[in-house]
Amino acid sequence: MSLNKLCVKCLGPLKTEIRVLNGLVNKRNHFVYTPDTNSPVKGETTKMNMFQAINNALDTALKTDDSALIFGEDIGFGGVFRCTMGLRDKYGKDRVFNTPLCEQGIAGFAIGAAVMGSTTIAEIQFADYIFPAFDQLVNEAAKYRYRSGGTFDCGKLTVRAPCGAVGHGALYHSQSPEAYFAHTPGLKVVIPRGPIKAKGLLLSCIRDPDPCLVFEPKILYRQAVEEVPVDDYQLPIGKADILVEGNDVTLIGWGTQVHVLKEVAQLAKEKLKVSCEVIDLVSILPWDTETVFKSVKKTKRVLIAHEAPLTAGFGGEIAATIQEECFLHLEAPIQRVTGFDTPFPHVFEPFYLPDKWRCFAAVQKLVNF
Amino acid sequence: MVVNRSFLLFGKTVVRRFQHKVDVIGRQYSTEGPLFPGAKTTWTENLEFTGSHSYKPIPVYRVLDRQGNVINPENDPKLPDNILVKMYKDMTLLGALDKVLYEAQRQGRISFYLTNYGEEATQVGSAAALDTSDVVYGQYREVGVLMWRGYSLQQFVDQCYGNIDDPGQGKQMPVHYGSKELNFVTISSPLSTQIPQAAGSAYALRGKNRVVACYFGDGGASEGDAHAAFNFAATLNCPVIFICRNNGYAISTPVEEQYQGDGIAARGPGYGINTLRVDGNDVLAMYNVTKMAKEYALKESKPVLVEAMTYRVGHHTTSDDSTKYRDPKEVELWAKNDYPTDKLKYYLNKKGLWDDKQDKEWLEAARKSVMEAFKVGEQKMKPKWDVMFTEVYKYIPDHLKKQKTEMEQHLSIYKQHYPLDKFESK
């Protein structure tokens, strides 16, 4: 349950006002969205923002799998972020339905249905509210197959949750909890950077034989617009994308942060004549060590940036692994630019985020070391 | 253009809803009753609390008295003789298994155990009213359900030893049983996590003529997951039977410190769930209650809550000494005066289906067959150590393959420091 939900509900019919509001948000954004232009599959494409691409993926999942169920808080009328819009009307309320307001129930119910062979796509309204379901996801979903020696599993489970900074979300509408789950063998965790990625990754997660968490950066729902393939397609879990090729510094991020890093690469080129390689990690667990090591061995300098706090953030895992595997190649200490070790604040958000200037300063430090 | 079409559909829904609202406003002036959406009810002008004084406690349904007499002949389920004898044999075989494995733990031969003493009827009576195709979720003290369904003594022992024939590959502690063939979902230690899962499974099985039975204790019912499950099962019309074993204790905590209401049963109607409270020491009552619950759950596609009143005669587990928090005399009272297997034995005696000689021979045979299974299980090898890396995911990911290789290299040098002789090598 959330305050934002009320805002979205109130403004739902007033499309012009939403456009005005979005305009305001855009001006205050800490990043510039750059769309993916490479289509992963051939065929027809349609302009979609990220919530429409997710809606399209869910539609595809329901259409191609009779056992697929979608449920969560307020998803029946289309979801507070419109991701499930129209699906209840199209597939019936037995397959697309509201649950009581209880995250541990949503997760537990979803696991149970998946154990019986249903494809379950559960929504947690905000990643900030996934913690009541932590026990079900960490102790149950992640360990189901292992503890039963493969007798039972809930591999058909996918949990979607909007995550990340949104400009004014404060403590409980902004969190990026991926590191908590990265420490959990048995789960897969992915974070898309835009509509094309969101659709392909979500379909992969839904059809993957292991339980998956998809954290969707909510600030991209309306802003990120791309030409998304209309056809059914999947994108690999566990595979990183090189978005910008470069030779001097490797910049690693995921979700919204990759758009910040793309700007940083541009800034570094213009102001420092430094060539940056930007990697979208895409998948947090398992993560693509190969792509990262290869890039680091080439550039010899690394910056990792994420919105979540520094201490025990996933950047720490990446840094430690790079240090172990690329020790002789490194020419500067690995830099981590992240949220601070504080709760996510309201009015101080511009000072909290690992924005392009903090990342740019870290690049400067790396090349001057 | 899928997206644009969904926009249109959404628009239509809004118009329909708005129309509905207008109708409600019109009716407001023509009715005297409250119109709050949150409850269908009446007004009152009396200011008074609703509390436990407003209701009578829910009575305990029974078929047999403590001497094994059928109180109301209409309630006798008139089960076939072979079923009645199987009930008794399974309940007592469970007792024999408990005795041997409990002692084995005391001798350090298995790491952990927990017995089912006093709760045999709750388990076997309910299991007998279900089909093996009905899915069971347990907490951990429901071994009688597996026994009824045909899990063998050897399978129980193999799991407790974590040997090569344990379907769980030695990954979990003893008594965390599971069986795909018998539709018994593998037990896990976190309490009550299975309850909302059971609701979800029941939802997935709707229309397939199968129900889900989910067992938990009176302590487990205090977990948030129990609340989640009752509410989800009711609102989402799940054919699930929640069976609470109220045995008076959660480890050392007596029920007075667990809840202040009328047990667990009284919570059922609060969730809109049809509820039954039953003598958990009366196997026939347990059978009748579960049978009715199943019929209703299937017909209406709705949940049922069953509270089986019983008493935990044994210690909580082998890591617990219950004399530290309860009077041994209290335990003795239940063991002597209201023990489920005795109650069924008296009933069988009266029906001429069982006598003392048969009883003595059977108990001895039961003990022997447990001992045999135990010896065999003890001698089996444990699975190869690298099984530790399997089933984390469907396919072993690269990072785990790497860790497995590292351990392999380590063992090739330091093997003398590890108990490799007890584990399979190929």
Side-chain angles (χ1 to χ4, degrees):
Chain A
M1 193 45 192
S2 68
L3 295 174
N4 269 10
K5 174 177 140 178
L6 292 176
C7 303
V8 174
K9 265 187 180 170
C10 300
L11 296 176
L14 309 169
K15 286 191 190 134
T16 44
E17 285 201 27
I18 280 189
R19 245 176 264 132
V20 173
L21 273 177
N22 274 345
L24 287 174
V25 172
N26 283 342
K27 270 175 211 158
R28 286 170 48 204
N29 260 353
H30 66 286
F31 67 98
V32 172
Y33 184 77
T34 44
D36 275 10
T37 45
N38 289 340
S39 183
V41 285
K42 282 181 182 154
E44 197 195 329
T45 61
T46 299
K47 198 165 264 212
M48 293 184 203
N49 64 24
M50 199 167 84
F51 84 64
Q52 289 165 329
I54 289 164
N55 183 271
N56 186 247
L58 295 173
D59 189 357
T60 307
L62 287 163
K63 192 162 55 196
T64 53
D65 179 354
D66 287 342
S67 81
L69 305 172
I70 298 181
F71 49 87
E73 294 158 15
D74 303 295
I75 64 106
F77 88 112
V80 298
F81 289 110
R82 320 312 297 137
C83 292
T84 53
M85 207 160 57
L87 299 177
R88 183 171 64 184
D89 286 342
K90 199 165 168 188
Y91 296 97
K93 63 180 175 43
D94 282 352
R95 297 186 66 195
V96 181
F97 51 92
N98 290 338
T99 66
L101 205 164
C102 178
E103 286 76 13
Q104 66 194 96
I106 293 170
F109 184 90
I111 293 168
V115 169
M116 287 302 119
S118 291
T119 296
T120 53
I121 308 157
E123 179 181 299
I124 299 294
Q125 203 161 70
F126 286 84
D128 311 63
Y129 306 128
I130 203 167
F131 301 110
F134 200 68
D135 183 40
Q136 283 285 357
L137 295 172
V138 171
N139 274 331
E140 294 293 316
K143 299 171 174 58
Y144 232 98
R145 189 190 296 278
Y146 189 76
R147 73 185 185 206
S148 68
T151 307
F152 292 96
D153 70 81
C154 61
K156 292 191 146 195
L157 168 72
T158 300
V159 178
R160 299 174 39 242
C163 75
V166 70
H168 53 276
L171 285 80
Y172 306 112
H173 298 85
S174 309
Q175 292 183 57
S176 299
E178 64 270 13
Y180 292 100
F181 296 98
H183 196 55
T184 307
L187 294 179
K188 290 181 177 172
V189 182
V190 302
I191 305 178
R193 64 170 177 274
I196 295 174
K197 208 73 194 166
K199 179 178 171 184
L201 268 182
L202 182 52
L203 280 168
S204 288
C205 286
I206 290 168
R207 292 158 179 173
D208 188 85
D210 296 306
C212 298
L213 304 183
V214 185
F215 291 116
E216 301 162 355
K218 66 180 95 59
I219 201 165
L220 304 178
Y221 275 141
R222 285 170 190 275
Q223 287 184 40
V225 180
E226 282 166 4
E227 283 292 332
V228 179
V230 174
D231 288 345
D232 191 340
Y233 67 94
Q234 290 174 228
L235 294 172
I237 300 166
K239 186 85 193 68
D241 293 338
I242 297 172
L243 302 183
V244 179
E245 291 197 21
N247 297 312
D248 302 327
V249 182
T250 298
L251 311 181
I252 303 168
W254 49 89
T256 318
Q257 193 65 26
V258 298
H259 303 293
V260 176
L261 294 178
K262 277 165 95 173
E263 278 189 273
V264 172
Q266 191 62 36
L267 272 178
K269 194 166 149 189
E270 287 162 11
K271 294 190 188 283
L272 306 171
K273 304 275 177 283
V274 166
S275 153
C276 292
E277 179 142 301
V278 178
I279 296 179
D280 177 3
L281 201 63
V282 180
S283 178
I284 304 297
L285 182 65
W287 66 284
D288 185 354
T289 50
E290 205 176 308
T291 301
V292 168
F293 295 160
K294 204 173 152 206
S295 174
V296 173
K297 283 175 185 170
K298 175 175 70 177
T299 64
K300 307 179 195 317
R301 294 175 181 85
V302 191
L303 164 75
I304 305 158
H306 56 67
E307 289 180 12
L310 176 74
T311 301
F314 197 66
E317 178 61 32
I318 300 170
T321 313
I322 292 173
Q323 186 275 148
E324 204 179 339
E325 291 291 326
C326 311
F327 185 70
L328 293 175
H329 299 271
L330 290 173
E331 285 183 3
I334 298 166
Q335 294 292 305
R336 285 183 287 160
V337 181
T338 69
F340 296 110
D341 286 343
T342 68
F344 198 111
H346 188 213
V347 300
F348 309 114
E349 180 170 321
F351 305 98
Y352 173 89
L353 283 174
D355 67 1
K356 66 180 171 189
W357 296 114
R358 282 178 61 206
C359 291
F360 177 75
V363 171
Q364 245 175 339
K365 212 168 149 187
L366 276 166
V367 291
N368 294 335
F369 182 79
Chain B
M1 289 301 288
V2 176
V3 174
N4 277 353
R5 204 162 60 230
S6 15
F7 258 117
L8 284 175
L9 284 171
F10 179 64
K12 270 185 200 161
T13 319
V14 167
V15 172
R16 268 205 307 276
R17 289 240 174 97
F18 183 69
Q19 208 77 46
H20 175 69
K21 277 255 157 69
V22 172
D23 292 345
V24 171
I25 291 164
R27 277 207 306 275
Q28 234 175 23
Y29 299 97
S30 60
T31 178
E32 274 296 304
L35 287 167
F36 309 110
K40 292 182 187 71
T41 184
T42 55
W43 302 109
T44 178
E45 285 71 44
N46 296 330
L47 178 61
E48 59 180 5
F49 285 121
T50 300
S52 56
H53 60 276
S54 313
Y55 311 97
K56 271 191 239 163
I58 297 169
V60 184
Y61 170 80
R62 63 175 175 166
V63 173
L64 300 173
D65 66 13
R66 294 193 179 107
Q67 286 73 43
N69 300 306
V70 177
I71 298 159
N72 179 353
E74 276 177 24
N75 289 341
D76 189 336
K78 300 197 174 61
L79 291 167
D81 295 349
N82 61 334
I83 294 291
L84 288 167
V85 172
K86 177 171 159 55
M87 280 176 160
Y88 182 73
K89 283 189 167 178
D90 280 0
M91 285 161 70
T92 43
L93 185 60
L94 175 56
L97 178 73
D98 277 351
K99 191 159 189 300
V100 171
L101 291 183
Y102 183 83
E103 291 303 326
Q105 195 285 329
R106 298 278 94 171
Q107 295 163 11
R109 295 160 89 170
I110 58 174
S111 65
F112 172 85
Y113 196 68
L114 59 81
T115 63
N116 301 274
Y117 297 137
E119 301 183 40
E120 295 92 334
T122 307
Q123 303 169 13
V124 170
S126 54
L130 300 168
D131 286 325
T132 305
S133 63
D134 295 325
V135 174
V136 171
Y137 279 85
Q139 182 167 299
Y140 44 56
R141 217 183 294 279
E142 294 90 9
V143 179
V145 177
L146 267 173
M147 196 160 263
W148 179 266
R149 291 189 169 202
Y151 210 59
S152 73
L153 290 174
Q154 196 60 58
Q155 285 175 296
F156 288 119
V157 171
D158 287 344
Q159 196 283 327
C160 289
Y161 269 110
N163 64 32
I164 42 163
D165 289 327
D166 167 17
Q169 306 174 321
K171 284 164 176 168
Q172 290 211 91
M173 283 171 78
V175 308
H176 290 54
Y177 306 116
S179 169
K180 187 85 177 166
E181 299 72 41
L182 302 179
N183 287 304
F184 190 99
V185 181
T186 304
I187 301 290
S188 73
S189 305
L191 283 189
S192 307
T193 48
Q194 80 278 16
I195 319 179
Q197 291 171 19
S201 288
Y203 188 90
L205 293 179
R206 289 188 320 169
K208 294 185 177 155
N209 205 33
R210 293 165 78 186
V211 294
V212 177
C214 177
Y215 296 82
F216 50 95
D218 49 273
S222 295
E223 292 282 3
D225 273 331
H227 160 68
F230 299 157
N231 203 24
F232 275 57
T235 54
L236 297 170
N237 299 319
C238 306
V240 55
I241 309 170
F242 297 118
I243 303 176
C244 177
R245 299 174 291 97
N246 190 336
N247 63 18
Y249 290 92
I251 306 185
S252 74
T253 306
V255 288
E256 297 75 36
E257 293 167 26
Q258 200 65 249
Y259 54 75
Q260 283 294 301
D262 176 27
I264 311 305
R267 296 176 199 171
Y271 289 101
I273 298 180
N274 275 358
T275 297
L276 297 155
R277 175 176 273 167
V278 53
D279 177 2
N281 294 348
D282 176 348
V283 73
L284 300 183
M286 238 6 255
Y287 176 86
N288 282 352
V289 156
T290 312
K291 189 163 171 273
M292 183 164 106
K294 181 180 167 173
E295 278 164 9
Y296 170 83
L298 275 184
K299 187 160 168 274
E300 304 290 331
S301 192
K302 278 184 180 163
V304 177
L305 174 62
V306 173
E307 184 182 27
M309 310 308 290
T310 179
Y311 186 84
R312 195 193 78 213
V313 173
H315 302 298
H316 169 64
T317 67
T318 47
S319 311
D320 169 54
D321 173 8
S322 69
T323 60
K324 294 245 159 63
Y325 51 81
R326 64 179 184 184
D327 188 347
K329 279 184 196 146
E330 178 188 302
V331 180
E332 209 185 315
L333 192 80
W334 285 94
K336 288 217 165 124
N337 291 328
D338 196 11
Y339 202 80
T341 52
D342 289 343
K343 199 142 78 178
L344 179 59
K345 187 168 68 183
Y346 303 148
Y347 173 80
L348 294 179
N349 285 343
K350 279 170 207 167
K351 279 182 88 94
L353 291 174
W354 199 250
D355 59 32
D356 287 352
K357 186 167 163 280
Q358 274 173 304
D359 200 46
K360 211 179 152 204
E361 283 169 12
W362 161 250
L363 291 179
E364 182 51 29
R367 196 188 63 84
K368 269 195 185 150
S369 47
V370 174
M371 288 304 294
E372 262 164 45
F374 181 77
K375 271 182 212 139
V376 173
E378 193 170 37
Q379 279 156 12
K380 288 183 188 174
M381 298 288 276
K382 307 261 189 263
K384 197 190 169 197
W385 64 269
D386 66 3
V387 164
M388 174 168 79
F389 293 97
T390 63
E391 310 293 353
V392 181
Y393 296 93
K394 172 96 173 168
Y395 308 105
I396 306 182
D398 288 344
H399 68 284
L400 265 183
K401 278 185 192 150
K402 185 167 168 260
Q403 291 170 26
K404 191 176 117 178
T405 307
E406 280 167 13
M407 189 60 191
E408 224 156 50
Q409 285 160 355
H410 175 77
L411 282 176
S412 69
I413 302 164
Y414 292 91
K415 52 181 166 296
Q416 70 273 25
H417 302 293
Y418 296 86
L420 283 170
D421 55 320
K422 294 188 178 66
F423 292 78
E424 276 206 320
S425 52
K426 58 175 165 46

